[in-house]
Amino acid sequence: MRTASRHLPAARRRAFQWRAWVTLVLLGTATWLAISGVVLYLAPSGRVAKTVDWRLLWLAKEQWEALHTVFGFVFLVLAGVHLKYNGRSILAYLRRRAAEVARVRREAAWASLALLLVTLAAVYDWAPVRQVMAWSEGMNAVWERWGTERGLTVVSEEEAHPEEASEARGYGRLSLADLAVQEDVPLEVALRRLAQAGVGAQPEDNLLTLSGRSGIAPADLAAIVRGEAAGDGD
């Protein structure tokens, strides 16, 4: 048995390095957070994204939002684990640096002031943060033009979220399958009525996406599904 153990590969004898694993996953998580943050900054609003069926690397905006949120939670959890594994080393490092920090008190004060100003600018919409956020909002117009040039109809906010009987009903957020359930219409009937109205659809299609392809407002698509407009073949 001893002789056999000598010939085991070194990789099999070495214990798994959890600290290294945590560090590598943290690095990958931070990378994904940065990438998804940039993508969401450039992405259109949810209304426009659904209407033009916006995707980047085959992922819809909701999927990018899910990636950003999930990796944010992963980062927080692993940061705590990282502190657990390396807390003593970090404290020792801070103690060694304490004397140096004391010598740069003026710089530390100015650094704290800079961070405070950035925080206040973001909270209270001061310049230049206002301009940075305005550039992101301006991307909506870019994506709307992009959709219009491709023959899509970008619906307005009012069309996407109509009000009926003092209750706001955002049809644009629903998939066709969800709408059929909401309106108590069999899915096959809903598909047939839309097809008779010249609207090709799949159960998973979002009503904003269907509206962009057909030029029919989401509320009117819902009316067709209910059999209250052209396309009622029953």
Side-chain angles (χ1 to χ4, degrees):
M1 294 297 292
R2 290 182 180 177
T3 303
S5 64
R6 291 198 193 102
H7 297 287
L8 284 176
R12 292 183 60 185
R13 295 198 303 267
R14 182 174 60 81
F16 190 82
Q17 301 297 311
W18 284 105
R19 290 188 181 185
W21 181 85
V22 169
T23 301
L24 291 171
V25 176
L26 267 177
L27 178 62
T29 299
T31 302
W32 266 113
L33 282 173
I35 293 172
S36 58
V38 172
V39 169
L40 291 175
Y41 177 82
L42 298 174
S45 68
R47 171 180 60 88
V48 177
K50 287 185 174 66
T51 302
V52 302
D53 197 20
W54 181 89
R55 292 175 183 272
L56 183 63
L57 299 178
W58 304 283
L59 299 179
K61 184 181 180 181
E62 293 90 343
Q63 293 170 307
W64 280 106
E65 289 172 340
L67 279 172
H68 192 73
T69 301
V70 169
F71 277 112
F73 279 110
V74 171
F75 184 87
L76 289 175
V77 171
L78 290 183
V81 176
H82 183 72
L83 287 175
K84 177 184 176 183
Y85 277 132
N86 301 285
R88 291 182 180 178
S89 300
I90 293 173
L91 287 175
Y93 175 81
L94 291 176
R95 291 192 190 100
R96 290 196 303 270
R97 295 296 183 184
E100 297 181 14
V101 172
R103 291 197 297 267
V104 293
R105 283 179 299 204
R106 183 173 60 182
E107 288 81 358
W110 279 105
S112 300
L113 178 61
L115 292 172
L116 177 62
L117 287 175
V118 172
T119 301
L120 291 174
V123 171
Y124 294 106
D125 198 27
W126 295 345
V129 172
R130 184 188 308 116
Q131 284 74 24
V132 172
M133 299 309 297
W135 293 335
S136 178
E137 291 294 330
M139 292 300 296
N140 266 344
V142 173
W143 290 114
E144 286 194 31
R145 286 197 301 271
W146 181 85
T148 301
E149 290 170 359
R150 284 155 181 77
L152 302 173
T153 302
V154 180
V155 301
S156 67
E157 194 70 32
E158 292 75 18
E159 292 172 317
H161 308 293
E163 291 189 2
E164 292 186 7
S166 73
E167 179 183 359
R169 302 178 65 182
Y171 288 120
R173 290 190 290 263
L174 297 175
S175 69
L176 179 57
D178 292 335
L179 176 66
V181 172
Q182 176 177 298
E183 301 295 345
D184 196 24
V185 175
L187 181 59
E188 60 273 14
V189 174
L191 289 168
R192 183 172 69 251
R193 287 173 174 171
L194 287 171
Q196 289 173 343
V199 181
Q202 297 297 324
E204 66 276 8
D205 283 342
N206 181 275
L207 258 67
L208 274 178
T209 303
L210 284 177
S211 178
R213 292 206 301 254
S214 65
I216 302 173
D220 293 333
L221 290 171
I224 293 173
V225 167
R226 291 193 299 269
E228 299 173 359
D232 184 7
D234 292 0

